[in-house]
Amino acid sequence: MVTARLGRYNPLFLLACGLILMLLKAEGGYVGITYLKSAVAKGAVCLDGSPPAYHLDKGYGTGVNSWLVHLEGGGWCNNVTTCVTRKNNHLGSSKKMASVIAFSGILGNHRDLNPDFYNWNRVKIRYCDGSSFTGDVQAVDPATNLHFRGARVWLAVIEDLLAKGMRNAENAILSGCSAGGLATILHCDSFKALLPMGTNVKCVSDAGYFINVKDVSGARHVQTYFNQIVALHGSAKNLPPACTSKMRPGLCFFPQYLIADIRTPLFLVNAAYDSWQIKNILAPGVADPHGDWDGCKINIKNCSPHQLTAMQDFRQQFLGALSSAINSSSRGMFIDSCYTHCQTELQETWFMPESPALNKKKISKAVADWFYDKSPFEKIDCPYPCNPTCLNSVFGPEDQPNVPDSGDGHRSKSGCESVKQYCITRSKQRNDRNLRALFLLYNAKCMMFKVRKCNL
C-alpha cells in the first residue's frame, strides 16, 4: 500500500528528497538547540520539569548587535488532562524536542529570502509551558509532576540571552506565532524594559490576536477556555496590570482588552479569517456536534453561503476588536483576507515571488519598512475572496480538533493526504521551472516529515 502510494507521486517525492540536501546548503544548515540547565534551580522549567530551551543563530556584520527573538507557538493546556498529554511531547518537555531545527521566513539567514534581518542574531525560544509564557505556580502535584512555570521560563531565557550579548543590542524585535504571537503582545513592554535604554525595541505578533466572540451555537467557548488556562497556570500576576486592574484576568488573555495600554511599538500580522480561530473559536467541535462545519474548516472553498456569511461576520467582529489597536502612530498592521494561520515563519508567505501582498507590499517588506521607520504600514484587506495573492490553507480531517488545543501553524498546515495534493497543485501552477523548484525547496522539509509520519 505504501509502495503504491509512493509510486503514484514518485517523481515529486524523489525531487523533494534531492532538494532536502540542497535545502541544507541553501539555508546554511539547521540551528542546534541550547538547553538552559541552569534555569532548573530557579524553578524555570517545562511542564515536566525539564529545562527550557532555545535555538540561536548568531548575527554577523551589520547585524551583530541586532536581535530577533521569536516565541514558538503551539496552543495551550487548560486542565490537568491536557497538560499531562503535553508534558509527554515537545510542547511540554525539552526532552522531546528536536535537537536541530531549520530557520526560515523571518528567521532565515539568506539575504535574498530575508533581506532585512538575515544577519541579525536570530533566536527561537521553544514553547513548553502551555500558557504563552505566563504561568507561575510554586506547588507541584506529585501525582502529575506538572510544573506551571511559563513566566519563569520567559525571564530565564531572556536573562541568558542578555548575558550572551543581547545587553549590547542596538535593535531588538520580539516576535512570535499563534500562542507565541499572543505571548509577544503580553510580554512586549516587559521585553523592552529588560533591554538597555536606547535600544530600538519593537514587537511583531503573528496570528496572536485572538478575539472574544460567540461561537456558532451562541456560546463563548473560547472565553471559558482562556479563563481555565489563566486559573490553572496562575497567570493573573503575570498579565499586564493595566488590564487585570480593570477586568477579570481571563479576559486579559484577549489582546483586544489590553492592547491600548501597550507602550512599545507593535506590528500585527493576522488573517481576518484566521483558520485556527475559525476552526476553534467560531466553529469549535463542541458547538458543531453534527460536523456541519467540517468541510468548510478543511477548505474555505467548501463553505456554504450560510457559512461564508458567518465568516464575514467574524471578520467584522475581528476588525471591531482591532479598533483599539489602530489609534497609535507606533502601530503597524498587515491584516489580509486569507484563510491561514501564521505567516511570518513560512518562507512562502514571508518573502517569495507569490507571497501574500497588500498594496503590492509583502509581509517582510511591510514589517521592515515599519521597523526602520522608512514608511508606516497599517493596511486591512478587502473581504474574501478579493485578494488573489492569498495562499489559503487546506487541511485534512485529522486536523479538526474537538477543543482549542493546537495553535501552531506548522503542525496544522495541512493533513497527510491534503499536503500531497496541495504541493502537487501549487507546483503545477508554477510554469516557471525556477519558481517551481524554489517552491519545492521550501516545502521539502514539510513533505518529508509527512512521509515519515503518515507513510505517504
Side-chain angles (χ1 to χ4, degrees), residues 1-20:
M1 180 67 176
V2 173
T3 304
R5 284 190 192 176
L6 280 171
R8 183 179 177 187
Y9 301 104
N10 196 42
L12 178 64
F13 284 98
L14 284 177
L15 180 58
C17 290
L19 287 172
I20 289 275

Side-chain angles (χ1 to χ4, degrees), residues 1 13 109 112 119 173 181 208 317 401 435:
M1 180 67 176
F13 284 98
N109 69 347
D112 291 342
N119 64 347
I173 292 176
Q317 294 182 80
L435 280 178

Side-chain angles (χ1 to χ4, degrees), residues 334 350-357 360-366:
F334 188 107
W350 173 248
F351 189 69
M352 289 280 276
E354 296 183 15
S355 293
K360 299 182 179 180
K361 188 174 284 192
K362 304 180 193 307
I363 297 171
S364 59
K365 181 65 172 173

Side-chain angles (χ1 to χ4, degrees), residues 16 20-21 41 94 113 130 139 146 174 232 271 300 344 353 361 367 409 431:
I20 289 275
L21 298 177
S94 60
L113 300 170
L146 285 172
L174 178 66
L232 177 68
I300 194 171
T344 61
K361 188 174 284 192
V367 170
N431 295 321

